[in-house]
Amino acid sequence: MRKILWLALLAIPVIVIVTLPASVVMPRLEAGEDLHDVRGTLWQGNATWRQPGFVPVDLDWSWQGGRSWRWQADGVGTDLSGFWRAGAGGTELVDVRGTISMDRLDVRLWLANARPRGEVMLDIERALIAEDRAPQIDGQLVWQNARLEGTVHESLGEITVTLSSGESGQEARVESTREGAIQVRGRIDLEVDRYTVDLWLRARSDRPELARQIAWLGEPQPDGQVRVQLSGALGW
């Protein structure tokens, strides 16, 4: 009887951990103010991500053993999945795959005079996000059905962004991989406290009127290209 009693006492903390409500744990993990309706346990549960101005996204997670959780995000314009690993160095996301609509991304900072449209296909090998540090992301983004609406209303074809991280910061190389009315190339660099954007746009040779339109997006060059340069401070 005494052994059974001790086993029961030892089982109590295990049961508490296994059934620990996710709503209790999430605030301590700094999951963010946009996460609502948290249900289930730390090991398997779901919640609703409410991004201001957008349709909510359903988020599900399940423990995969060790320090790894698998997650899935579904909603209007969002179909993403991947793995999350807990660690003292920050939030680590691994094998992130899926698509997200450009409508869900706030890119007004980069193109103030035009609204990007289309879908982004993600293939991220690893992303490390830590406080007071620039993100470290390795992988690729493909902007499919890429187009602009606003001052310029044209197709961009397909644009591929290759992401690589290093000691100096985060680098993103941008290039057109499928023909459109406008070709794009350049790079975006993120450091600890600053960002730098250097993009080059070129209208198709048989569209001289388009070359005049994209001139509003940046600085026209003698060879017909338009250079878009932006830089500023960041706060992680």
Side-chain angles (χ1 to χ4, degrees), residues 11-22 40-44 63:
I12 289 174
V14 175
I15 294 173
V16 170
I17 292 174
V18 171
T19 61
L20 191 62
T41 68
L42 174 63
W43 315 109
Q44 184 170 359
W63 183 50

Side-chain angles (χ1 to χ4, degrees), residues 163-224:
L163 302 162
S164 59
S165 59
E167 295 182 359
S168 59
Q170 176 71 47
E171 176 186 303
R173 292 194 172 273
V174 183
E175 63 176 336
S176 294
T177 47
R178 187 170 296 173
E179 185 178 358
I182 303 173
Q183 296 292 296
V184 183
R185 65 178 179 87
R187 59 185 289 169
I188 300 172
D189 294 291
L190 300 178
E191 301 177 5
V192 176
D193 56 357
R194 292 192 61 79
Y195 70 87
T196 303
V197 178
D198 190 5
L199 298 178
W200 297 76
L201 311 178
R202 181 189 291 275
R204 210 164 56 191
S205 57
D206 61 347
R207 298 289 305 279
E209 82 288 355
L210 183 55
R212 292 190 293 271
Q213 291 178 359
I214 65 174
W216 289 93
L217 300 176
E219 181 183 352
Q221 303 296 307
D223 62 356

Side-chain angles (χ1 to χ4, degrees), residues 114-127:
R115 297 184 302 276
R117 294 289 186 260
E119 304 80 38
V120 178
M121 179 175 291
L122 287 82
D123 186 3
I124 303 298
E125 299 173 7
R126 174 181 177 270

Side-chain angles (χ1 to χ4, degrees), residues 147-158:
R147 58 192 186 277
L148 297 176
E149 295 180 0
T151 304
V152 178
H153 193 102
E154 291 292 344
S155 167
L156 301 178
E158 179 181 276

